[in-house]
């Protein structure tokens, strides 16, 4: 079921309520976090709420294969938009790394993710699991599709500057989260969102795997 909201402000604040509730209920929460345009309002809202992040452990969904200090890396994005504005410990902020099996081991040692926040790409990807990704996939290095490179060129200035590869959590990895929230913003996302949530469950539409999860909430605003 897609919850249609009235505004981006409402989208950000409803998802912030869910994160806040989780952190208050269980300070030692393990979260999976997204990047991109959609969660910017969520991160602003969470910062405003001055929550205690000192026991929280985060795992980001993905990262480009590039220098982490690059201004457009997801490390830099997260520091700028959330981590440097809260009391979270930098050592508790994890990003997929190589060898990817060691990253999966690290996630496993924390015994399960409590809450995973996702966005959706215009081609139906979640994290950088592009169409055709196996539903069983684990964290791995992937080639980005032309569509994703075009979509993300707005951050880099030009498509040539977008890295062509990334490390992403797999669909199998994401599905092990206890609770999943999918956020989507903009009319250009509505069609793919409907296909993913109401259409056939197929690896051609990676987000359609969410139909098989027993605790997913989907929020959309245009
Ligand atoms: P966006 O990206 O929030 O920048 O639209 C979402 C995604 O590609 O997963």
């Amino acid at each position: 079921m897609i919850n249609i909201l009235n505004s981006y402000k409402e989208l950000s604040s409803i998802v912030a309520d869910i994160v806040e509730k989780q952190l208050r209920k269980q300070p030692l929460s393990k979260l999976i976090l997204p990047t991109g345009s959609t969660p910017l309002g969520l991160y602003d809202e969470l910062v405003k709420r001055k929550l205690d992040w000192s026991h929280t452990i985060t795992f980001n969904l993905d990262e480009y294969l590039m220098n982490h200090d690059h201004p457009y890396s997801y490390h830099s994005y997260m520091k700028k938009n959330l981590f440097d504005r809260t009391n979270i410990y930098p050592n508790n902020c994890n990003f997929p790394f190589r060898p990817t099996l060691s990253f999966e081991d690290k996630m496993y040692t924390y015994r399960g993710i409590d809450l995973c926040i996702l966005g959706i790409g215009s081609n139906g990807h979640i994290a950088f699991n592009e169409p055709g990704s196996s539903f069983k996939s684990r964290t791995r290095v992937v080639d980005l599709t032309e569509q994703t490179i075009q979509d993300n060129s707005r951050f880099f200035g030009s498509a040539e500057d977008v890295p062509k590869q990334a490390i992403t959590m797999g669909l199998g990895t994401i599905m092990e989260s206890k609770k999943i929230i999918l956020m989507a913003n903009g009319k250009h996302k509505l069609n793919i969102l409907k296909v993913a949530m109401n259409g056939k469950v197929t690896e051609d539409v990676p987000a359609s795997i969410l139909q098989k999860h027993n605790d997913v909430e989907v929020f959309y605003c245009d």
Side-chain angles (χ1 to χ4, degrees):
M1 218 255 299
I2 303 173
N3 294 289
I4 311 255
L5 304 175
N6 292 321
S7 65
Y8 181 66
K9 196 170 182 317
E10 193 183 3
L11 173 72
S12 305
S13 125
I14 283 188
V15 180
D17 289 347
I18 295 170
V19 176
E20 175 167 359
K21 193 168 151 213
Q22 175 64 40
L23 295 193
R24 289 196 189 281
K25 180 179 80 179
Q26 188 186 331
L28 207 165
S29 284
K30 291 141 288 176
L31 310 181
I32 292 181
L33 297 176
T35 51
S37 310
T38 311
L40 286 171
L42 164 67
Y43 294 149
D44 280 345
E45 185 59 33
L46 287 171
V47 169
K48 265 195 234 150
R49 296 184 187 197
K50 298 195 186 311
L51 305 173
D52 180 10
W53 292 78
S54 61
H55 299 284
T56 308
I57 295 166
T58 65
F59 292 88
N60 266 80
L61 282 165
D62 45 19
E63 176 58 290
Y64 293 113
L65 275 193
M66 70 189 321
N67 187 331
H68 297 164
D69 297 331
H70 189 287
Y72 298 130
S73 74
Y74 288 161
H75 279 73
S76 300
Y77 170 104
M78 289 305 298
K79 271 167 72 65
K80 175 166 169 240
N81 295 302
L82 185 68
F83 297 154
D84 284 355
R85 303 162 76 198
T86 67
N87 67 341
I88 197 164
Y89 288 108
N91 282 349
N92 286 344
C93 304
N94 300 280
F95 289 79
F97 58 79
R98 284 193 284 194
T100 51
L101 265 180
S102 310
F103 174 74
E104 290 264 342
D105 281 350
K106 186 161 189 189
M107 285 186 79
Y108 185 74
T109 56
Y110 287 109
R111 292 279 183 275
I113 297 295
D114 301 294
L115 176 63
C116 169
I117 316 279
L118 296 174
I120 183 170
S122 58
N123 61 1
H125 75 201
I126 47 180
F128 278 133
N129 294 286
E130 302 285 23
S133 298
S134 164
F135 280 167
K136 295 199 179 106
S137 53
R138 312 300 308 184
T139 303
R140 67 207 185 284
V141 174
V142 289
D143 295 329
L144 302 185
T145 59
E146 214 30 63
Q147 170 85 58
T148 297
I149 291 171
Q150 286 303 332
D151 286 353
N152 290 6
S153 62
R154 67 189 193 280
F155 298 108
F156 286 83
S158 81
E160 289 78 67
D161 294 329
V162 181
K164 306 293 176 276
Q165 287 190 306
I167 308 189
T168 184
M169 280 185 199
L171 295 169
T173 322
I174 291 167
M175 286 292 280
E176 285 164 11
S177 310
K178 290 177 198 151
K179 181 177 181 65
I180 299 181
I181 304 295
L182 179 67
M183 304 175 78
N185 171 222
K187 288 192 173 65
H188 62 296
K189 295 282 178 77
L190 187 55
N191 189 43
I192 189 67
L193 196 59
K194 284 183 178 160
V195 170
M197 293 305 128
N198 306 326
K200 193 171 153 214
V201 177
T202 162
E203 290 176 350
D204 293 337
V205 182
S208 67
I209 194 176
L210 298 177
Q211 292 185 41
K212 295 177 172 211
H213 196 282
N214 61 12
D215 191 356
V216 178
E217 286 185 277
V218 180
F219 297 102
Y220 166 83
C221 73
D222 59 21

